[in-house]
Amino acid sequence: MVLNPLKQMIKAADRIPTRLNIGIMLFMSCFVSYMLRVNMSVNLLAMVQPIQKMNQPAVKPMFNGTNANDTSATMPMPTAAAVHNYGPRYNWSSHDQSLILGAYFYGYLVTSLPAGVLAERFGPRNLVGSTLAASALLTALTPLAATYGMWTVVVNRAALGICGGVLYPALHNLVSRWAPPDEKGKFVSALMGGTFGTVVTWPLVGVLIETFGWSFAFYVPAVITAIVVAFWLIIVADSPAKHPRIKKEEQDYIIKSLGDTISKQNLLPPVLKMITSLPFLALLVLHFGNLWGLYFLLTAAPKFMSEVLGFKLAKAGFLAALPYLARALAAFGFGSIGDYLRKKSVFSVTTIRKSFCLFSHIIPGLFLVGLIYAGFDPYVCVAIITLSLGFNGASTMTNLQNSQDLAPNFAGTLYGIINFVGTTSGFISPMLVAHFTADRSTMDEWQYVFAIGAAAYIIPALVFVLFGSAVVQKWNEPKQHESKQTTKQVQETY
């Protein structure tokens, strides 16, 4: 009885172009992966004792443009009565919390580097499906891990990061096999599903924590992920040629549009040529700057909203998610504009990539500079952060797509390398925030963090404008490998 509705759903999905179904599953896989990645940023606030001492009086922080005598700027310190009962609370220091938040990214580093090669050799479908299933299980076990201590949670989060590190390099490999050149912007925009995951997760877990306790803020995302994994395994195939239900016309269109940029053989990546390529190094720097801004706000925004701007957990989660909603919506807009410009050949692809850096990196950096001078107006601060990350949605036309330009055969490997380096910002930025806010958390301390974030956006953009490229590199099709294949074929013929 269960199979009949399932078969009907599959038949209904098959009426839609197959590559659209692939795009939807790209979106959903990123969506649930980010649910499991970012929930800890809010959950941790309910799991630990407040870092401020209980016997301290109210503090009137001095901010740029703010009168210290203005009682509206007073930030009362928590009292015992103000500490809500959302479940067990643990006496983890600010340093401990930074280790927990950063642990995911330590694990992420382990697999992000080889993930592209694994996807290119063995196919991305099963790789993504199995790691998402493992991620759901690890998330469901987090409350149990917390009972054994901080280090058990760190190990759990690191293992979750090991699973998560596989995702994006594998998905970039999938995009290189499924996306016609004129549709790459839309496909890469689907990878912004992670941004929507943040938008949904932070308000959702805020409500779950205040309603049922923080343990449910782990269980519910785990269940949602398990459901998405089931659909992923039904709908997705490694390539149009391997999809069991794709229509012949659509299959031929995709294969013809890709031309000879995608090899039919499993090639070994020319690593030395990659890491000595100036356009690739420029992409690496650009991607690092993008991930610094993204991960900094990912791990620190709820803390900033709650401790500095004074919002309650549910509202802090909602407001902290607004910038990600803006980023996701802008990503689809910028992606569509970029695809149109490419299709009409208005500019060269290289010109498109470099010019969009203005929106993806430089303007977001300038907004972070503006945040330093915004004063203590919480809603102005939220608006500036929202605009900063919103414009960063243009990264779908810059660093998130450039690996597809340089080497379609090795798009997953390239993305794995730049993600490996860029992910270091995921554990450096929480340590930076912990360093500046160890004694107190006010705008005076956070302005240094925002200044560093602005530099991390703007300087890489200037490097890419000088040295970046969108031209397919010669090492996309290694000559040596081709000659070996030709020799082997000749020998087999005779």
Side-chain angles (χ1 to χ4, degrees):
M1 296 296 293
V2 178
L3 293 177
N4 289 333
L6 185 60
K7 288 180 179 179
Q8 291 176 0
M9 290 176 66
I10 295 173
K11 287 181 180 179
D14 287 343
R15 297 191 187 101
I16 303 171
T18 304
R19 65 187 187 280
L20 177 57
N21 286 331
I22 297 297
I24 292 171
M25 293 315 300
L26 287 171
F27 178 92
M28 291 305 302
S29 63
C30 296
F31 180 92
V32 295
S33 178
Y34 259 71
M35 286 192 81
L36 308 187
R37 180 189 299 201
V38 307
N39 61 356
M40 184 60 82
S41 298
V42 175
N43 294 1
L44 195 59
L45 298 174
M47 295 172 68
V48 301
Q49 298 292 346
I51 62 171
Q52 292 93 342
K53 295 179 181 179
M54 296 300 176
N55 59 355
Q56 286 182 327
V59 176
K60 296 180 180 179
M62 296 283 292
F63 303 128
N64 293 328
T66 303
N67 186 348
N69 295 320
D70 182 1
T71 57
S72 64
T74 298
M75 293 290 292
M77 308 306 285
T79 62
V83 179
H84 298 280
N85 182 19
Y86 299 131
R89 285 190 180 264
Y90 303 98
N91 190 25
W92 296 335
S93 68
S94 179
H95 177 69
D96 293 338
Q97 294 174 48
S98 72
L99 287 176
I100 291 171
L101 291 174
Y104 180 96
F105 300 99
Y106 284 107
Y108 197 88
L109 282 175
V110 173
T111 49
S112 62
L113 192 58
V117 177
L118 292 173
E120 286 153 11
R121 297 290 291 176
F122 304 109
R125 174 185 175 270
N126 292 336
L127 195 61
V128 171
S130 59
T131 52
L132 281 179
S135 297
L137 178 61
L138 287 166
T139 300
L141 291 174
T142 306
L144 178 63
T147 63
Y148 288 95
M150 182 270 293
W151 285 109
T152 311
V153 178
V154 168
V155 171
N156 176 280
R157 292 291 295 177
L160 188 65
I162 288 173
C163 295
V166 169
L167 185 71
Y168 281 95
L171 294 184
H172 273 268
N173 178 261
L174 199 67
V175 169
S176 71
R177 301 181 186 200
W178 277 95
D182 292 342
E183 298 177 9
K184 280 190 183 291
K186 297 182 183 68
F187 269 80
V188 174
S189 296
L191 302 183
M192 287 291 173
T195 301
F196 272 104
T198 305
V199 170
V200 172
T201 302
W202 280 347
L204 173 64
V205 300
V207 173
L208 288 172
I209 289 169
E210 293 189 347
T211 307
F212 302 106
W214 58 259
S215 61
F216 281 84
F218 291 104
Y219 298 144
V220 172
V223 171
I224 294 172
T225 301
I227 294 171
V228 170
V229 169
F231 280 100
W232 172 272
L233 295 175
I234 293 170
I235 292 173
V236 176
D238 286 333
S239 67
K242 294 183 178 180
H243 200 285
R245 299 180 303 277
I246 189 173
K247 294 180 180 178
K248 187 68 167 58
E249 304 82 39
E250 184 180 9
Q251 184 184 67
D252 291 342
Y253 166 71
I254 296 172
I255 293 174
K256 183 179 179 180
S257 68
L258 294 175
D260 58 359
T261 60
I262 300 294
S263 175
K264 295 180 181 179
Q265 301 168 349
N266 291 329
L267 304 176
L268 291 174
V271 177
L272 183 61
K273 292 181 179 179
M274 285 180 180
I275 62 177
T276 56
S277 168
L278 196 57
F280 172 66
L281 293 176
L283 167 61
L284 186 149
V285 172
L286 188 72
H287 192 69
F288 179 88
N290 179 75
L291 289 189
W292 180 280
L294 180 63
Y295 289 157
F296 155 61
L297 290 176
L298 200 67
T299 56
K303 178 182 177 73
F304 178 73
M305 302 285 185
S306 176
E307 294 180 1
V308 180
L309 303 185
F311 294 113
K312 292 182 179 179
L313 276 180
K315 194 169 186 179
F318 173 75
L319 292 175
L322 279 180
Y324 292 88
L325 177 61
R327 185 175 189 258
L329 295 176
F332 284 100
F334 282 118
S336 298
I337 293 170
D339 282 346
Y340 175 81
L341 294 175
R342 183 170 182 173
K343 186 175 183 178
K344 296 297 182 181
S345 299
V346 177
F347 303 106
S348 69
V349 180
T350 298
T351 301
I352 292 172
R353 297 283 178 263
K354 292 184 176 183
S355 60
F356 272 71
C357 285
L358 171 67
F359 305 104
S360 66
H361 285 69
I362 295 175
I363 290 178
L366 294 176
F367 272 118
L368 289 184
V369 173
L371 193 61
I372 298 171
Y373 302 98
F376 189 69
D377 187 322
Y379 292 101
V380 170
C381 291
V382 170
I384 291 175
I385 293 173
T386 301
L387 288 170
S388 176
L389 206 56
F391 273 99
N392 182 248
S395 58
T396 54
M397 292 306 301
T398 56
N399 57 285
L400 294 183
Q401 198 172 156
N402 193 225
S403 61
Q404 305 280 339
D405 303 323
L406 298 179
N409 275 326
F410 307 111
T413 297
L414 291 185
Y415 195 83
I417 295 172
I418 64 176
N419 226 31
F420 175 81
V421 176
T423 299
T424 58
S425 64
F427 54 81
I428 294 173
S429 58
M431 292 170 62
L432 187 76
V433 172
H435 170 73
F436 283 108
T437 63
D439 297 324
R440 61 177 190 157
S441 184
T442 70
M443 188 66 86
D444 285 340
E445 286 73 42
W446 281 83
Q447 65 181 354
Y448 298 107
V449 180
F450 291 133
I452 293 171
Y457 265 136
I458 295 172
I459 294 174
L462 298 178
V463 171
F464 185 81
V465 169
L466 290 174
F467 303 110
S469 175
V471 176
V472 176
Q473 302 298 294
K474 293 179 180 179
W475 40 265
N476 179 58
E477 200 73 44
K479 302 291 184 182
Q480 185 178 0
H481 183 90
E482 290 179 355
S483 64
K484 286 182 179 179
Q485 288 294 329
T486 302
T487 303
K488 184 178 179 181
Q489 290 170 1
V490 171
Q491 290 172 345
E492 290 174 348
T493 301
Y494 291 94

